Amino acid sequence: RLRAEIAARDEALAAKDGVVAEREKEIERQRRELEGLRFHKGDLDGFLAPGDERPAVAPRSVREAVEQAQIVFRRFLSFNKTALSSAAESPYREPEKAFRALRLLARFGEARREALRAKRPVLPMSEWLSRYTRGAAWVSYAANESESTMNECGAERTIVVDGRKIPLHRHLKLGVGNANEHLRIYFEMLDGDEQIVVGHVGRHLGT
């Protein structure tokens, strides 16, 4: 009889533990949704098409940042498969900054598209960034790679788009130091294409 009572109590405790675990999961889900609402509040204006939903959560990894950007910024950015694979391997600790940097790139893509359609000169990205990113000192832009870098490590800076090999020179730089503390976003603007092609979102490439 005593054993039966102990077994019954253990079973009741296990059931309560299950309920607690489920409630903890729900609390965590709601916490992440609240963080997502705070993170994305107002920063996607002009990007979302009718019927689009804002991302429900803030990105927890570089890959999540790219996956969200791939949907939200699809009118202005296209992502090569190498962008996703490099993002998946990146241990960068600040994926929210990765998303914000992609948002900056999409904002530039929006300005570039407007200029192209109006047949106006496109403002160079370095100038555009200096005008519109005063609050983004954490990101910088490089328009070119050195000839020696491209000769020695050009293969990992080359993507294939519609059968064409596209060398990637342009990139955004976030942070310095080890792979946990830096991120590089390589991209290119192709003639006749209004979208900016993103080819790498991840570790510093070889030099």
Side-chain angles (χ1 to χ4, degrees):
R1 181 179 175 182
L2 182 58
R3 288 180 180 176
E5 289 179 358
I6 292 174
R9 288 177 183 176
D10 287 344
E11 187 176 337
L13 286 172
K16 288 180 180 179
D17 287 343
V19 171
V20 169
E22 288 301 317
R23 287 179 179 174
E24 288 176 344
K25 286 181 183 178
E26 178 61 18
I27 290 170
E28 175 63 15
R29 184 190 67 78
Q30 291 182 7
R31 184 189 65 78
R32 285 205 66 209
E33 285 189 1
L34 181 59
E35 286 181 354
L37 288 170
R38 287 172 177 163
F39 176 71
H40 291 299
K41 181 181 179 182
D43 66 1
L44 303 180
D45 293 344
F47 289 122
L48 297 175
D52 283 354
E53 293 185 7
R54 290 177 182 271
V57 295
R60 292 183 296 180
S61 66
V62 175
R63 183 180 178 90
E64 279 192 13
V66 170
E67 288 172 342
Q68 290 184 6
Q70 194 174 27
I71 296 171
V72 176
F73 307 135
R74 64 184 180 274
R75 288 190 295 151
F76 307 110
L77 305 180
S78 65
F79 290 84
N80 191 270
K81 63 182 181 180
T82 54
L84 285 167
S85 60
S86 56
E89 296 172 359
S90 173
Y92 182 55
R93 292 173 177 168
E94 300 186 81
E96 293 181 1
K97 279 188 177 179
F99 183 88
R100 290 190 175 106
L102 291 168
R103 186 183 69 210
L104 275 178
L105 190 57
R107 288 285 183 207
F108 175 75
E110 182 181 31
R112 176 175 177 267
R113 173 182 285 188
E114 289 175 359
L116 289 173
R117 290 184 175 182
K119 301 187 183 304
R120 300 193 311 266
V122 177
L123 196 66
M125 187 165 188
S126 56
E127 188 175 342
W128 183 88
L129 283 170
S130 68
R131 288 188 186 185
Y132 298 104
T133 63
R134 294 173 185 170
W138 44 270
V139 61
S140 60
Y141 168 64
N144 294 293
E145 290 281 28
S146 69
E147 184 177 347
S148 61
T149 293
M150 294 306 289
N151 286 339
E152 294 177 16
C153 306
E156 61 182 343
R157 290 171 169 79
T158 301
I159 59 174
V160 177
V161 178
D162 296 330
R164 291 184 296 161
K165 290 185 176 181
I166 307 297
L168 301 173
H169 287 267
R170 306 172 192 269
H171 56 284
L172 297 178
K173 300 186 286 186
L174 287 71
V176 294
N178 63 40
N180 294 329
E181 298 168 348
H182 79 258
L183 188 78
R184 298 294 182 266
I185 300 174
Y186 279 80
F187 61 94
E188 193 49 77
M189 293 170 270
L190 307 181
D191 292 339
D193 192 342
E194 293 182 343
Q195 285 187 316
I196 294 173
V197 180
V198 181
H200 177 87
V201 185
R203 300 169 185 265
H204 192 293
L205 296 176
T207 56

